[in-house]
Amino acid sequence: MARLADYFIVVGYDHEKPGSGAGLGKIIQRFPQKDWDDTPFPQGIELFCQPGGWQLSRERKQPTFFVVVLTDIDSDRHYCSCLTFYEAEINLQGTKKEEIEGEVEGSGLIQPAEVFAPKSLVLVSRLDYPEIFRACLGLIYTVYVDSLNVSLESLIANLCACLVPAAGGSQKLFSLGAGDRQLIQTPLHDSLPVTGTSVALLFQQLGIQNVLSLFCAVLTENKVLFHSASFQRLSDACRALESLMFPLKYSYPYIPILPAQLLEVLSSPTPFIIGVHSIFKTDIHELLDVIIADLDGGTIKIPECIHLSSLPEPLLHQTQAALSLILHPDLEVADHAFPPPRTALSHSKMLDKEVRAVFLRLFAQLFQGYRSCLQLIRIHAEPVIHFHKTAFLGQRGLVENDFLTKVLNGMAFAGFVSERGPPYRSCDLFDEVYFGVDVLPFDSFSKLVAFEVERIKVEENNPVKIIKHVRELAEQLFKNENPNPHMAFQKVPRPTEGSHLRVHILPFPKINETRVQELIQENLAKNQNAPPASRVEKKCVVPAGPPVVSIMDKVTTVFNSAQRLEVVRNCISFIFENKTLETEKTLPAALRALKGKAARQCLTDELGLHVQQNRAILDHQQFDYIIRMMNCTLQAEAEPHTYKHGISVKWCWWPSGIRILFTFRRLSNK
């Protein structure tokens, strides 16, 4: 069992700290008052309660709710749910005129009822149940604003002492003691992301092409920034984009809602996924190396200095076609003279899972044969596994593909190999899709899932079968989040409509800290015999999986091979002709091409043609280009499981007169 809530915090406007401009927030009360041994209290929580800044208002604003994600030093995430409301400000001593929105007419005297200060109720948890947290905080606010005859101390104590089961599909029915009846449904497998409707919403906001661009940007470790007028939409968008990466895990800074005081984080050199409010969009447009997505406008902006690598063909076309079949089912028959009745979209939760199923199939095809390129270096005490990138790219015919090369060199794939490389481990839905057999130890989860990579390839041109397979897989994703079809009746009192507009509302009361602590201890004593939070994972032997095969057909492979050779020839010509600009443009592609056998042999032949009479004069820049190409060639030759071939010896003269020997000897195939 695990705690539903680690901390409950009341954060309010701070009138005591002097300063100009935006105001500051402060923690008024926190429960429990002492840190848990396994979960330290998050620092700086007052910044995230009001990401746009703490400001007084002359309007009675609606209560708001959003979820902030904080990551601690151990890379553990803490979900901070914030319910913010405005209460009449009585003590205005020291309040500066600039802090109040709008100007006061007349004599300039401000009546207490005309100014309202924000106050936030915050729930911090290591569990990700946003709707449950919304209901719990909403219940506490309802008891306060409607003056219900319920002790706030007992509500907070019951919340902090509530224990919920670990993942496994179990249910937890609980009540905070205010006439509520709430149900927590745990997912079947905690390794699968829980998205609700966030993925479908992201595609609705940005469209297929823009989301695919963001997907490629995240996988190739670019910086992605969302902005919107809604804080909750920012959280949903970041959640959706990260979930599309499954089975990869994002390991860089992940900040769905960034406060105004921390905007300098956007200048960080590391990749990130961050969300900011649209009020700061004038500030973020100055960023030159960040891909910016406007959730409200449905557009993305890719700076000119960023070369965004795309999915390799034919996977890109297949993914776009599959997403179009799901999101725009009428497109295929739009030109028919007698179209069938209008095809209805799946409901939002199932549509969300169908989109995720497309990306799950994509990764199964993209990583086909990855297990055959794993090398187990050490078993004890922990397995150390090396992935042979060169062999994988070569056998897949994607040596020159910039996208997959960046993915395999990224931290996310390194974590993927470390987690899924061992031959004996627990398995999940991705393994089902990849291996095409029932490797999961949970029969109820694996019966209907039998997607073979070859089967996906055979049926790629049959829209009916594609939709059928995607929906079968979507059913499994949906069942993971909703394992019990018959949900218990839930009831959570809500505040009276328009209650926030009442004239006479007392400030949020001071909570009796001693009483809350006593009640927490009493509740924890009752739960001493609860089972541990960790769940024993069932492990199984992982099959070898499908073989590594080329993703291209033969015609495409021949064309790409000839194209690579032409790139190498052009680059060498530009170097010896001292055309620096053309060389800079073609050198990256030439270096990628040199990972292939034919390109390396072409390099030796071209150098032999340009270096006449065994002598050539190169300036510093030309020499550097040649050395870079040679270094890339020798590194490729040193890789195990690569093709062994040789290079010839030629003499060149550097301007300083030092004779340089290039080892271009064509080695025998012994």
Side-chain angles (χ1 to χ4, degrees), residues 216 309-319 362 366 396-398 400-404 551-552:
C216 294
S309 304
S310 300
L311 286 167
E313 292 291 356
L315 294 183
L316 177 59
H317 174 73
Q318 294 171 5
T319 304
L362 167 63
L366 194 64
R396 296 234 66 190
L398 295 173
E400 79 288 349
N401 184 263
D402 194 36
F403 173 81
L404 191 55
I551 201 173
M552 308 289 186

Side-chain angles (χ1 to χ4, degrees), residues 214-364:
L214 295 180
F215 173 75
C216 294
V218 172
L219 287 183
T220 54
E221 299 187 345
N222 284 284
K223 304 175 185 179
V224 174
L225 177 66
F226 292 100
H227 73 82
S228 171
S230 166
F231 289 122
Q232 191 57 39
R233 291 291 175 89
L234 292 174
S235 294
D236 292 339
C238 293
R239 174 196 295 267
L241 183 59
E242 185 187 34
S243 67
L244 292 179
M245 294 178 60
F246 179 82
L248 303 181
K249 295 181 180 179
Y250 195 70
S251 56
Y252 289 105
Y254 175 83
I255 313 174
I257 301 177
L258 184 69
Q261 295 89 336
L262 301 179
L263 287 179
E264 64 269 15
V265 173
L266 299 176
S267 301
S268 168
T270 61
F272 55 67
I273 298 177
I274 291 180
V276 298
H277 198 276
S278 292
I279 58 177
F280 305 115
K281 62 182 179 182
T282 56
D283 301 324
I284 63 179
H285 280 295
E286 300 177 358
L287 301 172
L288 300 178
D289 59 345
V290 179
I291 299 174
I292 301 174
D294 181 2
L295 294 176
D296 304 332
T299 61
I300 67 171
K301 176 185 176 183
I302 304 177
E304 295 181 357
C305 62
I306 294 180
H307 169 66
L308 188 58
S309 304
S310 300
L311 286 167
E313 292 291 356
L315 294 183
L316 177 59
H317 174 73
Q318 294 171 5
T319 304
Q320 290 173 332
L323 291 172
S324 181
L325 287 173
I326 294 170
L327 298 171
H328 310 294
D330 292 334
L331 181 62
E332 189 179 7
V333 297
D335 292 339
H336 289 187
F338 306 100
R342 182 177 179 84
T343 305
L345 287 173
S346 305
H347 64 83
S348 57
K349 287 188 176 181
M350 184 56 70
L351 184 66
D352 182 276
K353 306 306 175 284
E354 290 174 358
V355 172
R356 286 177 55 191
V358 172
F359 283 88
L360 200 56
R361 287 161 51 99
L362 167 63
F363 275 110

Side-chain angles (χ1 to χ4, degrees), residues 536-554:
V536 178
E537 294 184 344
K538 297 182 180 180
K539 299 182 178 181
C540 60
V541 177
V542 181
V548 183
V549 295
S550 176
I551 201 173
M552 308 289 186
D553 55 28
K554 293 183 178 179

